[in-house]
Amino acid sequence: QVQLAESGGGLVQPGGSLRLSCVASGSSFSAYHMGWYRQAPGKQRELVAAITTHTTPAVDGTNYADSVKGRFTISRDNGKNTAYLQMDSLKPEDTAVYYCAADRSLLALVSTGPSSWGQGTQVTVSS
């Protein structure tokens, strides 16, 4: 399994931006599909964005929840063993703990449950 560590959370005003980072260690990062989940108080954990192992200009390899499409961008740098979540035009309803996740199976990542999780980073959107 791969070990994951998130960073970049914090307090931001509505309309602001944050970039979350997820550094992976312990295994071959490029073999893992990566995702970002979030969990707000009293709500179930939900998948925000996912990215496949490799992307090209012809094959984007990303997918987003409807609630964040056009505002969030997931990316990865296999050379740095790092996945990112750029969050723009943040709204109060984006407030949650954000978790990085990884799995060699895309189905497991997005549906049945990833094998690796980070510890989570708090994002609070408030004026």
Side-chain angles (χ1 to χ4, degrees), residues 1-122:
Q1 286 187 350
V2 64
Q3 288 75 52
L4 305 174
E6 306 99 332
S7 63
L11 173 65
V12 63
Q13 292 186 342
S17 298
L18 282 175
R19 188 176 81 155
L20 307 183
S21 298
C22 173
V23 178
S25 61
S27 189
S28 178
F29 176 73
S30 61
Y32 286 81
H33 305 291
M34 301 297 297
W36 288 93
Y37 282 75
R38 69 184 180 187
Q39 188 167 22
K43 295 187 177 180
Q44 287 189 330
R45 192 173 296 190
E46 63 171 346
L47 178 64
V48 173
I51 187 167
T52 54
T53 53
H54 291 82
T55 62
T56 69
V59 179
D60 180 61
T62 61
N63 195 30
Y64 299 92
D66 288 342
S67 59
V68 306
K69 279 182 181 177
R71 300 188 298 120
F72 290 12
T73 304
I74 188 172
S75 62
R76 66 188 297 158
D77 185 336
N78 288 342
K80 295 182 178 180
N81 289 356
T82 303
Y84 303 97
L85 185 68
Q86 177 67 41
M87 304 185 294
D88 299 318
S89 302
L90 282 160
K91 304 175 181 180
E93 50 263 44
D94 295 318
T95 296
V97 178
Y98 283 71
Y99 298 90
C100 179
D103 204 286
R104 291 178 180 265
S105 162
L106 186 58
L107 179 62
L109 178 70
V110 303
S111 180
T112 59
S115 58
S116 298
W117 291 94
Q119 81 285 355
T121 185
Q122 177 70 46

